[in-house]
Amino acid sequence: MNFRTIIEPFRIKSVESVKFTRREDREAALREAGYNVFRLRAEDVLIDLLTDSGTGAMSAAQWGALMQGDESYAGSRSFYRFESVVRDLTGFRHIIPTHQGRAAERILFHTILRPGLVVPNNNHFEPTRANIEVEACEARDLVIPEGRVPALVHPFKGNVDLAALERTLEADGDRIPLVMVTITNNSGGGQPVSLENLRGVRALCDRYRKPLFLDACRFAENAYFVKLREAGQSGRTPKAIAQEMFSLADGCTMSAKKDGLANIGGFLAMNDDAWAEAARNLLILTEGFPTYGGLAGYDLEAIARGLEEVVEEPYLRYRIRSTEYLGDKLTAAGVPSIRPSGGHAIYLDARALLPHVPPLQYPGIALVNALYVEAGIRGVEIGTVMFGLRPDGTESPGAMDLVRLAIPRRVYTQSHIDYVAEGVIEVARTKDRLRGYRIASAPKMLRHFTAQFEPL
Ligand code: F0G
């Protein structure tokens, strides 16, 4: 059909009410939460864009698959179904289920890292970086320079800077156990990596004899961007593109809470027999037997079905376009954000919007909190609070001060998104009234989750 309107490629069978609150209620709730939206009760949020992780709606087929879950401790039918779907997609020899992405990361890194090593990536996401730093290693970000400039438009802003990777491999090769690439690049704005760039990374890894692992949380969104933007790819299915992406790597970590379309789960997959054996031993110690890895049999069923649905073209067309729809509305209203729109989220540029709030007064927190008070929308700061704390305990401005509005999969309709745009535009219109914050208390690591703030 040649109509221009892109519709949600589903109809709704089950709904959940949202609670409308008054502005005074939201001000009180935020004060009680120490001005940190992670500490709010979710029911006090009207539209929750805190994360796209584990917050999606499962399909009727996934709910049906739950009843097929085989809860046998070892060798369950659900594991074999899960394994065959993951293997068909990725081609990897060893498929190790985990309870979520960071468990796969912890097991991988704890297995292969020793103090002083370096892991290059386009951009490490926060828990990934922390899982490397906790092993006394360095997480090094090598995204292309274009990927660091919010307003600059480039089709593959998640690409790895190949020259920088080559210099790193040349200078520090003996300290690099593997190279990682995050698809799509979450910390850099949900931006994709091209197949051509992945091939370039592969060639360097071959030359320096290093394994390449993908952080594959949003692999399907990355594959669809490749289809839309990369020369010669428009005629292929997203699944075929995804399979090629995986074929260029030696393994992956995966959070099934994103492009697994499930509420919990993940996996670690790889070809290397010795690493896989060590990883399975650690898995048994902390997650569970290798055929369930901390998940129920029904979770494995939901993920298997989710991985099939997520590469369907009508779903991806709607997914990518509906995120872009929000980005386009905000851009048209003059609200600065990372351009072009990411796959799973819009990243507002709080530093550009609030030049009167210096980075160490946390413009991202000022904007997140205003969105909650004005409109009941919950976003998340990705900036100086999340990234500004160095391992030695000192603080410096993050590379950018962003506010991410992450769109849960298949949850909100176009009118919800119209409301979000209206809320953001209203806050931007009255931005001169916003003030910064200071930190009242914070832990030494991963502080953005639990820190408490005071308005200045
Ligand atoms: N890698 C990336 C790129 C991620 O975005 C995340 C999670 C993880 C790894 C870890 O996966 O949560 O299943 O342990 N990102 C979520 C977010 C939390 O909000 O972006 P996990």
Side-chain angles (χ1 to χ4, degrees):
M1 277 177 279
N2 266 336
F3 294 109
R4 285 182 48 243
T5 309
I6 295 176
I7 61 169
E8 287 85 357
F10 49 78
R11 52 187 181 170
I12 297 168
K13 180 177 292 236
S14 180
V15 299
E16 185 179 10
S17 296
V18 291
K19 187 171 104 184
F20 291 88
T21 51
R22 296 170 308 170
R23 188 194 170 95
E24 311 84 275
D25 301 329
R26 294 193 293 275
E27 281 170 344
L30 191 61
R31 200 178 322 118
E32 220 162 285
Y35 298 95
N36 182 344
V37 294
F38 274 101
R39 300 167 57 96
L40 289 170
R41 283 172 182 262
E43 64 174 8
D44 293 333
V45 174
L46 183 65
I47 305 232
D48 203 347
L49 308 182
L50 184 73
T51 179
D52 63 319
S53 180
T55 52
M58 291 208 296
S59 66
Q62 283 177 293
W63 284 109
L66 293 197
M67 283 308 293
Q68 305 295 327
D70 173 0
E71 303 305 336
S72 304
Y73 191 94
S76 80
R77 189 177 61 234
S78 301
F79 170 74
Y80 290 108
R81 162 141 166 75
F82 166 84
E83 186 190 45
S84 80
V85 171
V86 175
R87 185 164 295 130
D88 173 48
L89 190 63
T90 67
F92 297 130
R93 186 153 45 217
H94 302 283
I95 317 281
I96 302 171
T98 60
H99 80 272
Q100 60 183 80
R102 71 197 67 183
E105 291 163 17
R106 189 188 62 82
I107 287 168
L108 174 68
F109 295 140
H110 195 68
T111 305
I112 66 169
L113 295 185
R114 51 187 164 70
L117 298 187
V118 179
V119 180
N121 201 329
N122 41 1
N123 283 117
H124 295 268
F125 195 60
E126 166 83 357
T128 321
R129 171 179 307 281
N131 267 304
I132 291 169
E133 289 176 354
V134 85
E135 305 289 342
C137 294
E138 182 194 334
R140 195 174 290 176
D141 289 344
L142 299 176
V143 73
I144 54 171
E146 292 88 335
R148 300 176 202 265
V149 187
L152 195 144
V153 174
H154 180 287
F156 292 104
K157 275 174 105 170
N159 279 357
V160 176
D161 182 336
L162 295 176
L165 177 61
E166 185 168 4
R167 281 195 299 276
T168 292
L169 286 163
E170 191 60 48
D172 293 314
D174 51 344
R175 293 199 293 141
I176 296 175
L178 85 175
V179 174
M180 292 202 67
V181 180
T182 306
I183 54 171
T184 58
N185 186 20
N186 188 10
S187 317
Q191 301 292 322
V193 177
S194 70
L195 269 178
E196 185 190 15
N197 188 253
L198 275 180
R199 287 191 203 109
V201 174
R202 173 78 260 168
L204 284 171
C205 286
D206 285 343
R207 178 130 61 87
Y208 290 87
R209 302 177 152 276
K210 301 294 176 192
L212 169 60
F213 273 58
L214 300 177
D215 176 339
C217 298
R218 300 177 179 86
F219 74 93
E221 292 169 7
N222 200 94
Y224 197 68
F225 277 123
V226 165
K227 180 178 168 81
L228 289 179
R229 296 181 186 169
E230 191 158 348
Q233 300 298 324
S234 64
R236 301 177 74 192
T237 64
K239 183 176 171 183
I241 295 170
Q243 284 169 322
E244 183 177 348
M245 292 174 346
F246 284 113
S247 77
L248 292 165
D250 302 291
C252 73
T253 57
M254 172 72 188
S255 170
K257 301 172 75 171
K258 285 91 169 170
D259 276 351
L261 296 178
N263 299 123
I264 194 72
F267 56 86
L268 171 62
M270 64 183 88
N271 290 329
D272 188 274
D273 298 333
W275 279 11
E277 189 188 335
R280 284 201 181 96
N281 289 337
L282 187 55
L283 185 86
I284 292 174
L285 191 65
T286 58
E287 296 268 310
F289 192 72
T291 61
Y292 75 89
L295 296 170
Y298 53 67
D299 294 321
L300 295 168
E301 294 282 350
I303 296 166
R305 177 67 199 159
L307 288 171
E308 289 169 349
E309 291 177 6
V310 79
V311 290
E312 285 170 8
E313 201 149 339
Y315 163 73
L316 283 168
R317 183 185 311 118
Y318 140 82
R319 172 70 178 160
I320 298 303
R321 176 56 200 147
S322 58
T323 306
E324 185 185 55
Y325 172 80
L326 176 58
D328 288 352
K329 278 201 154 191
L330 298 180
T331 302
V335 180
S337 66
I338 292 191
R339 304 302 299 158
S341 296
H344 67 295
I346 298 301
Y347 294 67
L348 306 176
D349 188 346
R351 196 175 285 175
L353 185 69
L354 307 176
H356 58 288
V357 180
L360 292 179
Q361 293 178 11
Y362 314 126
I365 298 294
L367 183 55
V368 164
N369 288 351
L371 286 171
Y372 176 66
V373 169
E374 290 300 328
I377 298 164
R378 175 158 71 170
V380 69
E381 191 251 24
I382 298 202
T384 299
V385 174
M386 193 182 272
F387 291 113
L389 191 63
R390 288 191 291 238
D392 66 3
T394 58
E395 190 183 23
S396 57
M400 301 188 249
D401 276 295
L402 306 171
V403 168
R404 187 185 72 176
L405 305 175
I407 318 287
R409 295 170 179 76
R410 308 190 290 203
V411 169
Y412 293 116
T413 63
Q414 187 165 346
S415 55
H416 289 116
I417 297 301
D418 286 335
Y419 172 90
V420 170
E422 195 180 338
V424 175
I425 291 165
E426 178 58 20
V427 168
R429 198 178 59 77
T430 56
K431 67 191 163 92
D432 295 338
R433 295 210 301 254
L434 303 192
R435 294 289 168 268
Y437 284 81
R438 62 171 217 93
I439 289 185
S441 68
K444 289 193 171 47
M445 243 185 131
L446 297 170
R447 62 180 179 172
H448 68 283
F449 290 119
T450 55
Q452 300 202 42
F453 300 91
E454 277 167 9
L456 289 167

PDB file of all heavy atoms in Angstrom, residues 216-234:
ATOM      1  N   ALA A 216      25.728  -6.253  21.427  1.00  0.00           N
ATOM      2  CA  ALA A 216      24.694  -6.360  20.383  1.00  0.00           C
ATOM      3  C   ALA A 216      23.293  -5.985  20.857  1.00  0.00           C
ATOM      4  O   ALA A 216      22.315  -6.291  20.172  1.00  0.00           O
ATOM      5  CB  ALA A 216      24.687  -7.788  19.841  1.00  0.00           C
ATOM      6  N   CYS A 217      23.176  -5.275  21.988  1.00  0.00           N
ATOM      7  CA  CYS A 217      21.851  -4.986  22.578  1.00  0.00           C
ATOM      8  C   CYS A 217      20.817  -4.523  21.557  1.00  0.00           C
ATOM      9  O   CYS A 217      19.664  -4.911  21.605  1.00  0.00           O
ATOM     10  CB  CYS A 217      21.973  -3.873  23.606  1.00  0.00           C
ATOM     11  SG  CYS A 217      23.019  -4.254  24.986  1.00  0.00           S
ATOM     12  N   ARG A 218      21.248  -3.658  20.617  1.00  0.00           N
ATOM     13  CA  ARG A 218      20.285  -3.069  19.675  1.00  0.00           C
ATOM     14  C   ARG A 218      20.689  -3.401  18.238  1.00  0.00           C
ATOM     15  O   ARG A 218      20.678  -2.553  17.353  1.00  0.00           O
ATOM     16  CB  ARG A 218      20.190  -1.556  19.937  1.00  0.00           C
ATOM     17  CG  ARG A 218      19.718  -1.254  21.377  1.00  0.00           C
ATOM     18  CD  ARG A 218      19.669   0.231  21.712  1.00  0.00           C
ATOM     19  NE  ARG A 218      19.200   0.457  23.066  1.00  0.00           N
ATOM     20  CZ  ARG A 218      19.978   0.461  24.156  1.00  0.00           C
ATOM     21  NH1 ARG A 218      21.280   0.279  24.045  1.00  0.00           N
ATOM     22  NH2 ARG A 218      19.456   0.657  25.346  1.00  0.00           N
ATOM     23  N   PHE A 219      21.037  -4.680  18.035  1.00  0.00           N
ATOM     24  CA  PHE A 219      21.537  -5.120  16.728  1.00  0.00           C
ATOM     25  C   PHE A 219      20.511  -4.953  15.624  1.00  0.00           C
ATOM     26  O   PHE A 219      20.863  -4.682  14.469  1.00  0.00           O
ATOM     27  CB  PHE A 219      21.980  -6.606  16.803  1.00  0.00           C
ATOM     28  CG  PHE A 219      20.814  -7.561  16.851  1.00  0.00           C
ATOM     29  CD1 PHE A 219      20.297  -8.113  15.679  1.00  0.00           C
ATOM     30  CD2 PHE A 219      20.221  -7.869  18.055  1.00  0.00           C
ATOM     31  CE1 PHE A 219      19.195  -8.969  15.713  1.00  0.00           C
ATOM     32  CE2 PHE A 219      19.112  -8.726  18.103  1.00  0.00           C
ATOM     33  CZ  PHE A 219      18.601  -9.271  16.933  1.00  0.00           C
ATOM     34  N   ALA A 220      19.221  -5.150  15.928  1.00  0.00           N
ATOM     35  CA  ALA A 220      18.202  -5.098  14.876  1.00  0.00           C
ATOM     36  C   ALA A 220      17.993  -3.658  14.407  1.00  0.00           C
ATOM     37  O   ALA A 220      17.835  -3.401  13.205  1.00  0.00           O
ATOM     38  CB  ALA A 220      16.889  -5.709  15.378  1.00  0.00           C
ATOM     39  N   GLU A 221      18.002  -2.722  15.364  1.00  0.00           N
ATOM     40  CA  GLU A 221      17.892  -1.317  14.985  1.00  0.00           C
ATOM     41  C   GLU A 221      19.106  -0.919  14.137  1.00  0.00           C
ATOM     42  O   GLU A 221      18.978  -0.214  13.128  1.00  0.00           O
ATOM     43  CB  GLU A 221      17.762  -0.439  16.244  1.00  0.00           C
ATOM     44  CG  GLU A 221      16.430  -0.690  16.946  1.00  0.00           C
ATOM     45  CD  GLU A 221      16.298  -0.073  18.337  1.00  0.00           C
ATOM     46  OE1 GLU A 221      17.183   0.684  18.770  1.00  0.00           O
ATOM     47  OE2 GLU A 221      15.279  -0.363  18.995  1.00  0.00           O
ATOM     48  N   ASN A 222      20.283  -1.405  14.517  1.00  0.00           N
ATOM     49  CA  ASN A 222      21.484  -1.116  13.722  1.00  0.00           C
ATOM     50  C   ASN A 222      21.332  -1.680  12.302  1.00  0.00           C
ATOM     51  O   ASN A 222      21.640  -1.012  11.309  1.00  0.00           O
ATOM     52  CB  ASN A 222      22.724  -1.712  14.389  1.00  0.00           C
ATOM     53  CG  ASN A 222      24.005  -1.067  13.907  1.00  0.00           C
ATOM     54  OD1 ASN A 222      24.507  -0.130  14.507  1.00  0.00           O
ATOM     55  ND2 ASN A 222      24.540  -1.536  12.787  1.00  0.00           N
ATOM     56  N   ALA A 223      20.820  -2.912  12.214  1.00  0.00           N
ATOM     57  CA  ALA A 223      20.664  -3.535  10.896  1.00  0.00           C
ATOM     58  C   ALA A 223      19.697  -2.735  10.020  1.00  0.00           C
ATOM     59  O   ALA A 223      19.915  -2.575   8.814  1.00  0.00           O
ATOM     60  CB  ALA A 223      20.163  -4.974  11.059  1.00  0.00           C
ATOM     61  N   TYR A 224      18.638  -2.203  10.630  1.00  0.00           N
ATOM     62  CA  TYR A 224      17.678  -1.450   9.817  1.00  0.00           C
ATOM     63  C   TYR A 224      18.276  -0.123   9.345  1.00  0.00           C
ATOM     64  O   TYR A 224      18.040   0.318   8.220  1.00  0.00           O
ATOM     65  CB  TYR A 224      16.365  -1.229  10.589  1.00  0.00           C
ATOM     66  CG  TYR A 224      15.247  -0.849   9.649  1.00  0.00           C
ATOM     67  CD1 TYR A 224      14.741  -1.777   8.732  1.00  0.00           C
ATOM     68  CD2 TYR A 224      14.715   0.432   9.628  1.00  0.00           C
ATOM     69  CE1 TYR A 224      13.740  -1.424   7.833  1.00  0.00           C
ATOM     70  CE2 TYR A 224      13.710   0.791   8.739  1.00  0.00           C
ATOM     71  CZ  TYR A 224      13.224  -0.142   7.848  1.00  0.00           C
ATOM     72  OH  TYR A 224      12.240   0.201   6.954  1.00  0.00           O
ATOM     73  N   PHE A 225      19.077   0.519  10.181  1.00  0.00           N
ATOM     74  CA  PHE A 225      19.770   1.740   9.736  1.00  0.00           C
ATOM     75  C   PHE A 225      20.709   1.424   8.562  1.00  0.00           C
ATOM     76  O   PHE A 225      20.829   2.217   7.629  1.00  0.00           O
ATOM     77  CB  PHE A 225      20.579   2.357  10.880  1.00  0.00           C
ATOM     78  CG  PHE A 225      19.780   3.228  11.818  1.00  0.00           C
ATOM     79  CD1 PHE A 225      19.750   2.959  13.185  1.00  0.00           C
ATOM     80  CD2 PHE A 225      19.093   4.339  11.348  1.00  0.00           C
ATOM     81  CE1 PHE A 225      19.032   3.781  14.060  1.00  0.00           C
ATOM     82  CE2 PHE A 225      18.369   5.161  12.214  1.00  0.00           C
ATOM     83  CZ  PHE A 225      18.343   4.874  13.576  1.00  0.00           C
ATOM     84  N   VAL A 226      21.364   0.284   8.616  1.00  0.00           N
ATOM     85  CA  VAL A 226      22.238  -0.121   7.503  1.00  0.00           C
ATOM     86  C   VAL A 226      21.396  -0.263   6.232  1.00  0.00           C
ATOM     87  O   VAL A 226      21.760   0.226   5.158  1.00  0.00           O
ATOM     88  CB  VAL A 226      22.970  -1.438   7.837  1.00  0.00           C
ATOM     89  CG1 VAL A 226      23.590  -2.066   6.591  1.00  0.00           C
ATOM     90  CG2 VAL A 226      24.042  -1.183   8.905  1.00  0.00           C
ATOM     91  N   LYS A 227      20.254  -0.892   6.356  1.00  0.00           N
ATOM     92  CA  LYS A 227      19.371  -1.063   5.194  1.00  0.00           C
ATOM     93  C   LYS A 227      18.955   0.292   4.618  1.00  0.00           C
ATOM     94  O   LYS A 227      18.957   0.491   3.408  1.00  0.00           O
ATOM     95  CB  LYS A 227      18.132  -1.868   5.623  1.00  0.00           C
ATOM     96  CG  LYS A 227      17.136  -2.125   4.497  1.00  0.00           C
ATOM     97  CD  LYS A 227      15.979  -2.970   5.003  1.00  0.00           C
ATOM     98  CE  LYS A 227      14.845  -2.994   3.988  1.00  0.00           C
ATOM     99  NZ  LYS A 227      15.065  -3.958   2.897  1.00  0.00           N
ATOM    100  N   LEU A 228      18.618   1.232   5.520  1.00  0.00           N
ATOM    101  CA  LEU A 228      18.147   2.546   5.063  1.00  0.00           C
ATOM    102  C   LEU A 228      19.265   3.406   4.490  1.00  0.00           C
ATOM    103  O   LEU A 228      19.058   4.173   3.561  1.00  0.00           O
ATOM    104  CB  LEU A 228      17.529   3.320   6.238  1.00  0.00           C
ATOM    105  CG  LEU A 228      16.186   2.854   6.784  1.00  0.00           C
ATOM    106  CD1 LEU A 228      15.779   3.749   7.956  1.00  0.00           C
ATOM    107  CD2 LEU A 228      15.113   2.896   5.703  1.00  0.00           C
ATOM    108  N   ARG A 229      20.473   3.299   5.068  1.00  0.00           N
ATOM    109  CA  ARG A 229      21.490   4.324   4.795  1.00  0.00           C
ATOM    110  C   ARG A 229      22.723   3.855   4.059  1.00  0.00           C
ATOM    111  O   ARG A 229      23.472   4.687   3.552  1.00  0.00           O
ATOM    112  CB  ARG A 229      21.952   4.952   6.130  1.00  0.00           C
ATOM    113  CG  ARG A 229      20.856   5.689   6.841  1.00  0.00           C
ATOM    114  CD  ARG A 229      21.358   6.306   8.139  1.00  0.00           C
ATOM    115  NE  ARG A 229      20.245   6.899   8.872  1.00  0.00           N
ATOM    116  CZ  ARG A 229      20.317   7.327  10.128  1.00  0.00           C
ATOM    117  NH1 ARG A 229      21.463   7.245  10.775  1.00  0.00           N
ATOM    118  NH2 ARG A 229      19.268   7.847  10.714  1.00  0.00           N
ATOM    119  N   GLU A 230      23.001   2.554   4.040  1.00  0.00           N
ATOM    120  CA  GLU A 230      24.284   2.137   3.477  1.00  0.00           C
ATOM    121  C   GLU A 230      24.107   1.720   2.019  1.00  0.00           C
ATOM    122  O   GLU A 230      23.187   0.963   1.688  1.00  0.00           O
ATOM    123  CB  GLU A 230      24.886   0.984   4.296  1.00  0.00           C
ATOM    124  CG  GLU A 230      26.335   0.696   3.914  1.00  0.00           C
ATOM    125  CD  GLU A 230      27.112  -0.032   5.018  1.00  0.00           C
ATOM    126  OE1 GLU A 230      26.610  -0.127   6.161  1.00  0.00           O
ATOM    127  OE2 GLU A 230      28.219  -0.501   4.724  1.00  0.00           O
ATOM    128  N   ALA A 231      24.995   2.186   1.180  1.00  0.00           N
ATOM    129  CA  ALA A 231      24.901   1.908  -0.263  1.00  0.00           C
ATOM    130  C   ALA A 231      24.850   0.396  -0.500  1.00  0.00           C
ATOM    131  O   ALA A 231      25.606  -0.367   0.102  1.00  0.00           O
ATOM    132  CB  ALA A 231      26.115   2.506  -0.968  1.00  0.00           C
ATOM    133  N   GLY A 232      23.923  -0.024  -1.336  1.00  0.00           N
ATOM    134  CA  GLY A 232      23.849  -1.424  -1.732  1.00  0.00           C
ATOM    135  C   GLY A 232      23.102  -2.329  -0.763  1.00  0.00           C
ATOM    136  O   GLY A 232      23.008  -3.538  -0.986  1.00  0.00           O
ATOM    137  N   GLN A 233      22.559  -1.771   0.335  1.00  0.00           N
ATOM    138  CA  GLN A 233      21.942  -2.631   1.357  1.00  0.00           C
ATOM    139  C   GLN A 233      20.420  -2.604   1.344  1.00  0.00           C
ATOM    140  O   GLN A 233      19.787  -3.378   2.077  1.00  0.00           O
ATOM    141  CB  GLN A 233      22.444  -2.216   2.754  1.00  0.00           C
ATOM    142  CG  GLN A 233      23.948  -2.329   2.930  1.00  0.00           C
ATOM    143  CD  GLN A 233      24.440  -3.758   2.764  1.00  0.00           C
ATOM    144  OE1 GLN A 233      23.767  -4.717   3.156  1.00  0.00           O
ATOM    145  NE2 GLN A 233      25.600  -3.922   2.151  1.00  0.00           N
ATOM    146  N   SER A 234      19.817  -1.715   0.523  1.00  0.00           N
ATOM    147  CA  SER A 234      18.371  -1.502   0.648  1.00  0.00           C
ATOM    148  C   SER A 234      17.545  -2.726   0.270  1.00  0.00           C
ATOM    149  O   SER A 234      16.424  -2.892   0.733  1.00  0.00           O
ATOM    150  CB  SER A 234      17.939  -0.290  -0.183  1.00  0.00           C
ATOM    151  OG  SER A 234      18.184  -0.567  -1.549  1.00  0.00           O
TER     152      SER A 234
END
